[in-house]
């Protein structure tokens, strides 16, 4: 049972956590959202500087909250890819430095592997194989989880990620940043059937549609046209109805593809991860459809859907248990596919 301290700084949260195997001992998340909100999105340079200012405080807080000491820590981990390079460097450098000073093993963790592991925090008994539906601000993927470090991506978005679509629609409707939680809230008061919008199917060359890949750019354009048409007719935009119809379409589209994929591959569990896993419309749709198809669907606790370090520590603990550690020469990468996860560990060199 490994105890790991992990740092997550891939985007706009400075997060530090201590996790014992799949049990969270402490989790500190310092969000920069209020700083980036004035720019309408994350400004990379501002994010890096903010991480630098907050990281030492967050590490101290993680120890304080857990009432633990360095002697109880078996390994030190940080997210090393994918993400904003300058932001990642702050967390990775801090983790490597601490590993050297404290003479503990160091592990570089893939951010998406962390999102997959978030489900273990609410369901420690979960074991592969299962299907992961990963829906965040940067990714929308269906991943066949075969074992720790062994992942096959079965489906993806061809353009915008689900969270990105929420953020862009919120910007279009002038609702603020980040768009997901705002649209989710607004949709509660709207009619999801008010407007028929395209689900974003991807055509196959021989006819028919791709079963697992999707696209959100057509949906985004359809909402833009709808808003333009309403403005042209001098009609006040029914914000709650537009939000509810958009959310319903995204939830239906993701649910159909996840269920088809799980059934085709004989996987009885779907574990959802990433910021959009917090979405109430997606939760409702997926749960209803899974029940009809005798499948089990699992969501991480709400606070571990969006970026956090507990999920990174959880993934690192599993790797450490298997004897995987990373070299101190490991660098950061803005892009890295999940298929290449084992490249981060020495046993993969
Ligand atoms: O996983 P995450 O924190 O960061 C990335 O790795 O990208 O996901 C952030 C994304 C944002 O696009 C945000 O708008 C979306 O997750 N999000 C939501 C909800 N909460 C966060 N989208 C829909 N409904 C929500 N309740
Ligand atoms: Zn994330």
């Amino acid at each position: 049972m490994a105890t790991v301290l992990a740092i997550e700084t891939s985007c706009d949260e400075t997060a530090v956590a201590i996790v014992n195997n799949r049990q969270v001992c402490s989790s500190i998340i310092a969000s920069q959202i209020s700083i980036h909100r004035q720019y309408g999105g994350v400004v990379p340079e501002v994010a890096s500087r903010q991480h630098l200012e907050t990281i030492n405080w967050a590490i101290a807080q993680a120890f304080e909250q857990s009432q633990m000491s360095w002697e109880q820590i078996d390994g030190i981990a940080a997210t090393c890819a994918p993400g904003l390079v300058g932001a990642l460097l702050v967390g990775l450098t801090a983790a490597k430095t601490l590993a050297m000073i404290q003479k503990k093993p160091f592990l570089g963790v893939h951010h998406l592997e962390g999102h997959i592991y978030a489900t273990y925090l609410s369901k420690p008994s979960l074991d592969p194989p299962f299907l992961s539906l990963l829906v965040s601000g940067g990714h929308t993927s269906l991943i066949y989880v075969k074992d720790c470090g062994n992942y096959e991506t079965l489906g993806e978005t061809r353009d915008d990620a689900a969270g990105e679509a929420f953020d862009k629609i919120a910007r279009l409707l002038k609702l603020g940043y980040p768009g997901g939680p705002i649209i989710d809230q607004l949709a509660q008061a709207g009619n999801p059937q008010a407007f028929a919008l395209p689900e974003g199917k991807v055509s196959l060359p021989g006819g028919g549609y791709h079963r697992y890949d999707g696209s959100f750019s057509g949906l985004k354009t359809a909402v833009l046209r709808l808003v333009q048409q309403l403005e042209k007719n001098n009609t006040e935009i029914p914000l709650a109805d537009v939000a509810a119809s958009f959310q319903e379409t995204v939830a239906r589209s993701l649910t159909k593809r996840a269920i088809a994929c799980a059934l085709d591959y004989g996987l009885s569990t779907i574990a959802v991860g990433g910021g959009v896993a917090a979405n109430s419309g997606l939760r409702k749709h997926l749960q209803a459809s899974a029940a009809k198809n005798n499948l089990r669907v699992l969501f991480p606790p709400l606070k571990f859907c969006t970026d956090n370090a507990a999920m990174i520590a959880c993934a690192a603990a599993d790797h450490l248990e298997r004897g995987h550690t990373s070299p101190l020469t490991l660098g950061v990468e803005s892009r890295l596919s999940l298929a290449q996860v084992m490249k981060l560990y020495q046993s993969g060199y």
Side-chain angles (χ1 to χ4, degrees):
M1 295 264 282
T3 300
V4 171
L5 175 132
I7 303 175
E8 153 65 46
T9 60
S10 67
C11 192
D12 60 349
E13 331 275 356
T14 315
V16 181
I18 299 176
V19 166
N20 172 240
N21 205 23
R22 294 174 177 183
Q23 208 64 44
V24 182
C25 307
S26 63
S27 173
I28 307 299
I29 304 170
S31 176
Q32 305 175 2
I33 284 178
S34 58
I35 297 165
H36 296 289
R37 190 171 279 136
Q38 57 187 307
Y39 307 108
V42 179
V43 182
E45 187 53 39
V46 175
S48 313
R49 215 170 304 159
Q50 201 58 33
H51 285 311
L52 259 183
E53 282 182 19
T54 319
I55 190 81
N56 286 337
W57 170 84
I59 294 167
Q61 281 298 111
F63 277 110
E64 167 119 13
Q65 197 180 73
S66 64
Q67 297 284 296
M68 292 170 88
S69 61
W70 278 113
E71 294 81 69
Q72 291 164 277
I73 305 293
D74 302 310
I76 301 168
T79 308
C80 62
L84 302 171
V85 167
L88 286 166
L89 262 176
V90 177
L92 195 76
T93 308
K96 283 192 210 172
T97 311
L98 289 169
M100 274 192 276
I101 295 169
Q102 300 293 337
K103 299 190 175 51
K104 309 268 185 193
F106 157 71
L107 296 99
V109 177
H110 193 290
H111 183 75
L112 297 190
E113 189 176 35
H115 276 304
I116 292 171
Y117 268 78
T119 305
Y120 291 109
L121 298 173
S122 58
K123 192 84 182 164
S125 60
L126 175 65
D127 267 322
F130 58 88
L131 181 69
S132 167
L133 169 63
L134 223 153
V135 275
S136 70
H139 295 85
T140 298
S141 310
L142 283 163
I143 298 152
Y144 184 173
V145 179
K146 297 177 181 178
D147 198 357
C148 169
N150 188 354
Y151 311 106
E152 186 186 349
T153 301
L154 302 173
E156 275 180 310
T157 173
R158 294 288 174 97
D159 36 62
D160 292 353
E164 191 181 353
F166 271 94
D167 294 340
K168 285 181 176 170
I169 294 303
R171 196 175 307 156
L172 169 73
L173 299 175
K174 301 184 180 69
L175 297 174
Y177 172 85
I182 304 172
I183 291 193
D184 197 348
Q185 186 63 37
L186 195 58
Q188 312 291 329
N191 172 10
Q193 317 302 337
F195 302 104
L197 296 165
E199 268 175 38
K201 291 180 186 162
V202 173
S203 305
L204 288 170
Y209 296 102
H210 203 289
R211 276 174 79 74
Y212 316 137
D213 282 0
S215 151
F216 287 120
S217 74
L219 170 59
K220 192 179 62 191
T221 310
V223 177
L224 174 67
R225 296 243 167 84
L226 171 67
V227 170
Q228 284 170 338
Q229 194 57 48
L230 290 167
E231 279 172 348
K232 212 167 123 195
N233 300 344
N234 276 328
T235 312
E236 195 183 331
I237 296 166
L239 290 173
D241 285 349
V242 175
S245 303
F246 166 76
Q247 178 166 296
E248 167 82 8
T249 310
V250 173
R252 208 170 48 226
S253 155
L254 291 172
T255 297
K256 274 189 192 164
R257 283 182 276 129
I259 299 285
C261 194
L263 292 175
D264 290 355
Y265 279 80
L267 297 167
S268 57
T269 299
I270 302 172
V272 193
V276 186
N279 186 260
S280 61
L282 177 62
R283 286 180 173 237
K284 199 181 77 200
H285 262 271
L286 203 49
Q287 254 148 358
S289 188
K292 265 190 225 147
N293 288 283
N294 282 323
L295 300 171
R296 177 171 71 149
V297 55
L298 301 172
F299 292 92
L302 273 181
K303 63 178 175 213
F304 297 136
C305 287
T306 43
D307 288 349
N308 64 89
M311 66 183 195
I312 303 298
C314 187
D318 213 357
H319 279 288
L320 193 58
E321 288 268 326
R322 286 154 203 258
H324 304 161
T325 60
S326 305
L328 285 168
T329 50
L330 186 78
V332 301
E333 290 191 53
S334 61
R335 289 166 170 269
L336 183 72
S337 84
L338 256 180
Q340 293 180 295
V341 155
M342 288 313 294
K343 275 191 173 176
L344 305 176
Y345 302 103
Q346 285 169 345
S347 54
Y349 272 71

